[in-house]
Amino acid sequence: MNKLLLLAVTGLLASACVAYQRVGIESAPDAAEVYLDGELVGTTPLELRVPTGADHSVYLKKEGFQPRMVVLDRHAPADGIDFVTPADVRVRLVPRTGMQDREVEVEVDKEE
């Protein structure tokens, strides 16, 4: 009976364990804010410790540049891999142009 209880508890603990993976986050230029699943976690360059049991979104934002989002896809052991991809994120941020932040009015002349 005690062995059975021990096996049950061990099984529960093993299933409750979450595997983690380290994911490097880099941007050009550096010092972009990094959000993991909507929560600010630091600035680039940065190494994150992410749980491998789910997909995650990594959002990079820097003033004067277009923001970028990268999805870390979860893979299961049945896929032949048991981690999220990409394993490292390297993003080149594109500068914003002045026109992207402006509203433009367009008038259309109708021919009668």
Side-chain angles (χ1 to χ4, degrees):
M1 178 76 172
N2 286 338
K3 285 183 183 180
L4 192 55
L5 180 59
L6 180 60
L7 285 173
V9 169
T10 303
L12 285 174
L13 289 176
S15 65
C17 291
V18 176
Y20 288 90
Q21 174 181 332
R22 295 198 182 279
V23 176
I25 310 292
E26 296 178 12
S27 68
D30 285 344
E33 293 178 337
V34 178
Y35 295 80
L36 177 64
D37 299 328
E39 184 177 327
L40 179 63
V41 292
T43 57
T44 59
L46 171 69
E47 186 173 273
L48 297 177
R49 187 173 177 246
V50 297
T52 58
D55 292 345
H56 300 281
S57 64
V58 176
Y59 184 76
L60 292 100
K61 181 171 100 170
K62 183 173 176 81
E63 189 170 330
F65 293 85
Q66 295 177 20
R68 291 279 307 270
M69 186 172 74
V70 177
V71 175
L72 302 178
D73 291 317
R74 173 190 180 263
H75 297 277
D79 296 336
I81 52 177
D82 189 16
F83 51 87
V84 296
T85 58
D88 290 304
V89 175
R90 291 181 182 92
V91 173
R92 178 169 300 282
L93 298 173
V94 177
R96 286 184 186 227
T97 62
M99 294 301 292
Q100 291 172 329
D101 295 330
R102 295 185 191 160
E103 290 185 26
V104 177
E105 281 189 37
V106 177
E107 289 186 29
V108 178
D109 290 332
K110 293 184 180 178
E111 292 184 26
E112 293 180 32

